[in-house]
Amino acid sequence: MNVFRDSRAVATGPEAGQALPSSSLRQRLSELRGPGVRPRSLDARALAALAANPGCRRRALLDGAGVDKGALAGALGSPAAYGQSQFAFVRGNAFEARVKADGGAELLRLVRERLDPESPPPEPEGPGAAAAPDLSAAGPEGRAARTALALREATAAGGWTLLDHPMLAVDVAGSPAYVEPDAVVVHPDGSWTVVEIKSFPMIDGSADAAKVGAAARQAAVYVLALEPVAAHAAAHTGRTVRVRDRVLLVCPKDFSNLPTAAAVDVRKQLSTTRRQLGRLTRVEEIAAALPEGTTFDLRMADDGKTPTRPAQELAAAVEAVGAAYAPECLAACELAFHCRKQARREGAVEALGRGVRGELGGLHTIEEVLAAARPGGRAGDGGGDPTGPDDPAVLALRRAAALRAEALAAAAVPQAPAEEPPVPRATAEEPGVPHPRAEEA
């Protein structure tokens, strides 16, 4: 997926009520990146990961400023070793090409079958055939403008249209991030559907829940990017334009390479993504709370690849911004290994998972949890119960500790039988019992 990022205005214009970024904010974000450092491109995966962890101020600031988190993690000594393998990349491209073969006839059939069975099917050729406009243009801005024009024309035409890899823009902290969905289909009634093509299998009509969730969050970014384009298309065409909140997920069927599809409701992911991107407009507040002179500049050497800034100084700058680490970050953020190391060093319960974090209430460290589980226990040398003896989390921990003690006492393991006394060695006064192997000898 090719993505780009630019500091210029989006071709489709800002949403109603959305404030444009101030020059002071852009200057501050440039200082955080370092002099002469271009902002890092954000794709739909990165934006979806923001929605998956909305409480992380560190990621919000770094992504809002366009800092290269992968290079930052490498300079800190905790590089992220994950990504799509070359084999999976090639397999995914081959499957996508098969889905879109013959002008996307099979893809349009799946869209109509799963989402719009009441609409007439597209004809193989003639006036009722599906359109496939050319979206090529110069640069991401040109492609985004060409996509918006093609969507307006397709909506006005009132037929089936397949847009292959259109370019869309999402406002991220005042700057447009350009994202590229696999396909967008325009229905005869003027509605639009996002199509997400994945290479993981759909076995007996179901797929891996975690992978489907990630695909839904990614598709929600595309739906969000289409909404302002739909508003402009409705104003120009006079038709009601609706971006469907059910996207089409296309995957290989069972263990074959044949495509199958399912409709996925992304309303929840859409609201979460919209809320998180709205939080990014407060990046200026997060940056204002940083110590004077804080920057994430790696001070690259002349080769442009070797950071020269001391790791301790860089770590201090990173840890000046609060993080909300969770084990799920390991699959979505380049700084996850550094944040995990910090969470473990501080004994934070977040390292155990969001579910555990939610159950423990006001207990923030593993030391506090262990102290609270003991009646009269003390957190460290000078503190008592960290949240008070009547805290529900403390009461639940002590109750669980008591039940565990009762269960261990009731299921006490019987002691192993005592070992037989050793055979006495023979002495000159009293010969002992001869060893069997001695007799054999």
Side-chain angles (χ1 to χ4, degrees):
M1 177 184 297
N2 296 324
V3 293
F4 306 89
R5 183 157 179 170
D6 200 340
S7 60
R8 292 169 290 182
V10 186
T12 55
E15 297 184 48
Q18 185 179 15
L20 291 175
S22 63
S23 59
S24 60
L25 173 58
R26 293 189 180 183
Q27 177 64 27
R28 181 57 177 140
L29 297 183
S30 177
E31 293 172 357
L32 291 174
R33 289 192 303 271
V37 179
R38 292 179 60 84
R40 179 72 173 179
S41 300
L42 286 180
D43 59 8
R45 291 178 184 269
L47 296 176
L50 279 173
N53 191 6
C56 187
R57 296 166 64 88
R58 181 176 297 172
R59 174 152 196 170
L61 178 65
L62 294 177
D63 281 348
V67 176
D68 186 348
K69 299 195 299 299
L72 185 60
L76 290 170
S78 302
Y82 69 89
Q84 192 177 33
S85 68
Q86 187 65 24
F87 173 76
F89 184 75
V90 172
R91 182 183 60 183
N93 285 343
F95 178 69
E96 181 177 341
R98 177 163 188 167
V99 172
K100 295 178 179 178
D102 300 326
E106 179 64 14
L107 178 56
L108 290 171
R109 184 190 69 80
L110 291 171
V111 170
R112 177 179 176 274
E113 179 181 302
R114 298 290 193 272
L115 295 173
D116 198 3
E118 302 299 327
S119 294
E123 298 178 3
E125 54 184 23
D134 181 16
L135 303 179
S136 58
E141 267 193 335
R143 290 188 59 197
R146 181 69 187 92
T147 296
L149 178 60
L151 285 168
R152 288 199 299 267
E153 293 174 347
T155 303
W160 290 99
T161 301
L162 172 63
L163 280 73
D164 186 9
H165 285 286
M167 183 67 75
L168 305 171
V170 182
D171 183 86
V172 180
S175 297
Y178 293 96
V179 298
E180 186 177 346
D182 293 327
V184 172
V185 174
V186 178
H187 297 245
D189 62 358
S191 59
W192 302 350
T193 292
V194 171
V195 177
E196 190 68 8
I197 303 174
K198 297 295 183 182
S199 59
F200 57 81
M202 192 176 295
I203 301 174
D204 293 334
S206 62
D208 182 86
K211 294 180 179 179
V212 172
R217 289 190 295 271
Q218 187 174 342
V221 174
Y222 303 137
V223 174
L224 187 65
L226 279 171
E227 288 181 345
V229 184
H232 282 272
H236 282 79
T237 62
R239 298 190 63 183
T240 301
V241 181
R242 175 173 60 94
V243 183
R244 293 174 178 252
D245 50 30
R246 297 178 72 206
V247 304
L248 189 75
L249 176 62
V250 182
C251 299
K253 182 178 181 181
D254 299 330
F255 301 99
S256 69
N257 202 32
L258 299 176
T260 187
V264 180
D265 192 334
V266 298
R267 283 177 294 181
K268 179 179 178 181
Q269 292 82 358
L270 184 60
S271 62
T272 303
T273 304
R274 184 181 289 110
R275 182 171 61 252
Q276 177 59 4
L277 291 181
R279 287 183 178 183
L280 285 182
T281 60
R282 298 185 301 175
V283 166
E284 191 171 12
E285 301 175 10
I286 303 175
L290 296 177
E292 185 69 24
T294 299
T295 178
F296 306 104
D297 184 15
L298 302 181
R299 301 172 191 165
M300 292 295 186
D302 294 338
D303 60 2
K305 299 179 180 179
T306 306
T308 62
R309 188 176 180 186
Q312 296 82 359
E313 182 182 332
L314 192 59
V318 171
E319 292 175 9
V321 191
Y325 170 76
E328 294 82 358
C329 297
L330 295 174
C333 182
E334 295 89 338
L335 280 175
F337 290 96
H338 175 78
C339 296
R340 181 179 67 175
K341 186 186 301 182
Q342 180 185 1
R344 287 177 173 177
R345 184 173 62 247
E346 298 173 353
V349 296
E350 285 81 1
L352 304 177
R354 291 195 181 99
V356 176
R357 165 68 275 174
E359 293 290 339
L360 292 177
L363 302 173
H364 299 287
T365 66
I366 295 176
E367 182 183 1
E368 291 177 350
V369 173
L370 295 177
R374 298 188 299 268
R378 304 178 66 84
D381 296 330
D385 291 335
T387 57
D390 296 330
D391 184 87
V394 174
L395 296 176
L397 284 170
R398 292 183 177 173
R399 176 60 176 162
L403 292 175
R404 179 179 181 274
E406 293 176 6
L408 291 176
V413 180
Q415 294 184 355
E419 296 182 359
E420 297 181 0
V423 177
R425 298 181 62 183
T427 62
E429 296 77 13
E430 182 180 358
V433 178
H435 195 279
R437 293 196 179 275
E439 294 179 353
E440 295 174 3

